[in-house]
Every structure is written in C-alpha cells, then in structure tokens.
Amino acid sequence: MDELSVLDLQNLRHLIGGYETTHKKMMEYASGASDPQIRQFFQKSAQSAMQNKQQLMQFIH
C-alpha cells in the first residue's frame, strides 16, 4: 500500500474518533432502552461502529 499523506492520516483520525464516539453513544442508548427491539437496534449499531473503527485502524498499522 502507498504511504498515507498527512491529510489522509488526519481524515482517518477524524473518522476513527467519530466511530468511537458513535459506539459509546449507541452503547449508552442501549443500556437505557427498555424495549428489547430498540436495545438490540442500538447494540447492533454500536457493533457496526466498532467494526468500522477497527477496519479503519488497519490503515494506520
């Protein structure tokens, strides 16, 4: 893979941080949900955000 530019790294950092924030928020929403379907929705959303974050992290390792 080609080397990443400083701008690419900044963009990755921004995206990774966004997915981390989304993961935390979705987990918080899931913990507060009383409806099982809504809780599951937020849990799946949190899992998706974490997977996206992990995929992006591969570019900087």
Side-chain angles (χ1 to χ4, degrees):
M1 185 171 101
D2 295 331
E3 289 190 31
L4 297 174
S5 70
V6 172
L7 181 59
D8 291 332
L9 288 173
Q10 288 174 342
N11 287 335
L12 277 172
R13 185 176 52 123
H14 178 74
L15 289 169
I16 289 167
Y19 281 124
E20 179 67 24
T21 300
T22 299
H23 175 261
K24 288 179 181 178
K25 285 184 177 184
M26 294 297 114
M27 290 302 292
E28 183 66 27
Y29 297 155
S31 71
S34 56
D35 184 301
Q37 288 180 312
I38 293 173
R39 185 179 312 112
Q40 184 180 30
F41 170 79
F42 285 129
Q43 288 170 337
K44 285 183 178 182
S45 296
Q47 182 181 20
S48 177
M50 184 55 68
Q51 288 171 344
N52 289 335
K53 176 190 168 189
Q54 291 169 345
Q55 287 177 332
L56 289 173
M57 292 287 288
Q58 293 177 2
F59 288 104
I60 58 175
H61 287 221

